[in-house]
């Protein structure tokens, strides 16, 4: 039984085939987030992550948004109005969608 994120990482490196099988059967909820991050990072090329890059890109996009951001602001409340996640005006669902579109 592999119970910690560190153990999952070691297991993934020592027995990759069994690791894939275990992941397909289900990662324990207690370590699922860390295991997912470890798996995603395993495929990233060296130097892929740059600290602060996302915040920098968001800031630069905010400066140049203009008309596009205005249109997004109009469209988001109209999108999937019947879905519970998007119902509340300026709620969590709408804020998440707005971030993705920007």
């Amino acid at each position: 039984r592999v119970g910690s994120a560190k153990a999952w990482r070691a297991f993934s490196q020592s027995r990759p085939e069994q690791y894939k099988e275990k992941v397909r059967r289900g990662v324990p909820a207690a370590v699922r987030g860390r295991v997912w991050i470890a798996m995603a990072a395993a495929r990233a090329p060296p130097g892929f992550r740059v600290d602060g890059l996302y915040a920098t890109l968001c800031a630069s996009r905010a400066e140049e948004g203009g008309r596009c951001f205005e249109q997004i602001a109009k469209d988001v409340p109209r999108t999937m109005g019947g879905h519970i996640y998007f119902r509340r005006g300026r709620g969590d669902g709408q804020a998440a969608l707005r971030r993705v579109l920007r």
Side-chain angles (χ1 to χ4, degrees), residues 1-9 11-12 18-40:
R1 180 168 163 88
V2 183
S4 71
K6 186 176 181 180
W8 274 89
R9 191 170 12 262
F11 184 69
S12 73
Q18 287 178 314
Y19 175 73
K20 287 180 190 175
E21 288 176 31
K22 270 193 173 292
V23 168
R24 288 184 182 128
R25 278 189 260 135
V27 177
V31 294
R32 190 170 295 141
R34 290 190 209 110
V35 170
W36 186 88
I37 289 169
M39 290 177 61

Side-chain angles (χ1 to χ4, degrees), residues 16 20 23 31-32 35 38 50 54 58 64 78 94 99:
K20 287 180 190 175
V23 168
V31 294
R32 190 170 295 141
V35 170
V50 178
Y54 181 74
C58 287
E64 64 187 46
R78 300 187 287 210
Q94 289 187 15
R99 279 193 306 273

Side-chain angles (χ1 to χ4, degrees), residues 10-85:
F11 184 69
S12 73
Q13 293 169 351
S14 65
R15 297 183 239 163
E17 290 305 314
Q18 287 178 314
Y19 175 73
K20 287 180 190 175
E21 288 176 31
K22 270 193 173 292
V23 168
R24 288 184 182 128
R25 278 189 260 135
V27 177
V31 294
R32 190 170 295 141
R34 290 190 209 110
V35 170
W36 186 88
I37 289 169
M39 290 177 61
R43 292 191 160 87
F48 176 75
R49 286 195 171 73
V50 178
D51 287 338
L53 177 61
Y54 181 74
T56 303
L57 290 173
C58 287
S60 70
R61 297 289 298 197
E63 293 170 7
E64 64 187 46
R67 281 192 6 226
C68 293
F69 288 174
E70 289 172 17
Q71 191 62 46
I72 289 170
K74 290 178 188 175
D75 289 343
V76 166
R78 300 187 287 210
T79 302
M80 295 168 49
H83 193 284
I84 192 165
Y85 190 61

